[in-house]
Amino acid sequence: MNITKEQIDDLNAVVKVAITKEDYQDKVDTILKNYKKQANIPGFRKGQVPMGLIKKQYGKAVLVDEVNKLLQDNLNKYLTEEKLDVLGNPLPKQKDDFDWDQEELDFEFELGLAPDFEVPLKTKKAITHYKIVADKKMISEQVERIQKQYGKLVSKEEVGKNDEVSGKFENEAEGIDNQSLLEMDKLKNKKAIESLVGKKVGDTVTLKTKGLFKEDYFLSSALGIGRDKADNFDTEVSFTITEINERQPAELNQELFDKLFGKDNVKSEKELRERIAEDSEKQFEQQADQKLLNDVTEYFIENTKFELPTGFLTKWIQMTGDKELTPEEASEEYEKSEKGLRYQLIEGKIIKDNNLQVQFDELKEFAKGFIKSQMAQFGQMNPKEEELDAIAVRVLGNQDEVKRLSEQLMSQKLLNLYKEKGNLKTKEVTYENFVKEVYG
């Protein structure tokens, strides 16, 4: 067997493979002999079928199968040994006059080669890395939410502006008949608030649905209708009051602190506010880091210039999908996937140049950290190390989970690399201003 490469240009090449009878004949003969032993052909005893008949019936199929195996194995070996960085897979060049009876079988494969390029981590333009801080207003609002959540309900005779009112929404024509809890501080419509304040159990008021709540999504659950119907829903509904309660805020005392953070971990309102700020900023850091990763990714895609073997990749998409595409369809698919392909190459280059690897031990520790955070959400704050190990082993026994966690860990490694070596400018903002700047 002889394999040679013809370089067309920097991004395209053709590999030629010449196979002679010596490469495959022994294997073909062995398989046909086994066929002869097992063949059941009418008119012949088992094992007594003439070899000529076996070759006539099975010879071509066995030959084609063995040659294809040889091609696959040796082509892959050649690409590895020559360290050819190919995109997609080699595409066989079709020959209409190909003759399987020739003494030497010649094959050609088109290759699309990965471009050679550099990715300077120190970008020319500084990329903003947000540091989101918890301001006094946010902390105070969180304290108020906690006091409200852990407060107690006190029954009232008349509706006040901050009460919780239970009742039934009705509109026969729209099929609305829903028992619901109405929190007065969630209402937006002033007329609705005025019509409810001072009312008693058993009273019925008429409310307009449009603009009723400060947040539109409350309307769906209040009326017991789908979100699609609730969007731009403009009608009148009756609301009959069945219960009125005032939620009195919980005292900021040791009993509440222990309930929130465990015994004696927080001992004063000042420590409570510090803890809220710390916990909030940890959550904000994840959002800021994701924003940084997105921005760095976008920068590299836009500013790392290199050519791709577009013609080859379009043909590869056309021929290797679930169904063969037309040239126009393949070109359209290539345009959709080009940006993703470019970033895969850029990311692979960064990983290779900076020797970023995911080792099993660190993947296991990463999985344990992920498991621990999930358990904390269900109140298991201090799981034993043996328990974490056992769960991690089970998780890492699932290849889909291994892939998902490996990708997350690699993203974390890339993020740490960008923080260490990138050209970043830190911008300190409140969460409210972060949302305005990032999401508009």
Side-chain angles (χ1 to χ4, degrees), residues 174-336:
E174 295 289 347
I176 295 169
D177 183 5
N178 191 56
Q179 191 74 30
S180 184
L181 175 66
L182 197 62
E183 296 180 62
M184 292 292 291
D185 60 0
K186 298 286 196 305
L187 295 178
K188 177 183 178 182
N189 189 296
K190 289 183 180 179
K191 287 186 178 179
I193 296 170
E194 289 170 1
S195 66
L196 283 162
V197 170
K199 292 297 187 291
K200 298 179 180 180
V201 171
D203 289 345
T204 297
V205 297
T206 299
L207 304 173
K208 287 187 71 65
T209 58
K210 187 172 183 180
L212 180 60
F213 292 98
K214 292 176 181 177
E215 301 291 344
D216 292 339
Y217 62 85
F218 285 128
L219 186 63
S220 172
S221 58
L223 302 184
I225 59 177
R227 287 291 297 273
D228 291 343
K229 184 175 181 178
D231 289 343
N232 301 313
F233 190 52
D234 186 6
T235 189
E236 289 185 342
V237 291
S238 64
F239 181 71
T240 303
I241 299 170
T242 56
E243 188 177 353
I244 306 167
N245 291 299
E246 177 188 6
R247 188 174 287 275
Q248 295 184 346
E251 290 185 34
L252 297 176
N253 55 26
Q254 195 60 49
E255 181 184 355
L256 178 62
F257 303 152
D258 289 349
K259 193 178 289 184
L260 291 169
F261 302 106
K263 187 168 177 59
D264 294 334
N265 288 320
V266 170
K267 296 183 179 180
S268 66
E269 183 180 344
K270 180 185 176 185
E271 289 185 14
L272 170 67
R273 289 175 176 273
E274 290 172 349
R275 181 65 178 265
I276 289 172
E278 180 186 342
D279 290 349
S280 296
E281 288 177 3
K282 280 182 182 176
Q283 293 179 3
F284 297 155
E285 186 178 0
Q286 294 177 2
Q287 294 183 57
D289 282 350
Q290 187 59 55
K291 170 64 176 167
L292 174 61
L293 196 58
N294 292 344
D295 287 347
V296 173
T297 297
E298 198 62 37
Y299 180 92
F300 284 147
I301 291 172
E302 294 299 324
N303 293 277
T304 307
K305 303 300 181 184
F306 53 81
E307 296 296 321
L308 289 170
T310 303
F312 170 84
L313 290 170
T314 303
K315 187 188 292 186
W316 180 71
I317 290 172
Q318 180 184 0
M319 297 178 64
T320 59
D322 292 334
K323 62 173 185 176
E324 190 166 328
L325 305 177
T326 66
E328 293 76 17
E329 289 171 333
S331 182
E332 187 177 330
E333 285 299 313
Y334 172 74
E335 287 178 14
K336 290 178 184 176

Side-chain angles (χ1 to χ4, degrees), residues 111-127:
L111 302 183
L113 304 177
D116 187 22
F117 59 94
E118 298 299 323
V119 187
L121 293 178
K122 206 80 170 177
T123 57
K124 292 180 180 179
K125 177 185 174 184
I127 296 173

Side-chain angles (χ1 to χ4, degrees), residues 361-373:
D361 287 345
E362 60 184 352
L363 182 61
K364 184 179 177 184
E365 288 304 310
F366 184 76
K368 285 164 65 176
F370 181 75
I371 294 162
K372 193 173 182 179
S373 66

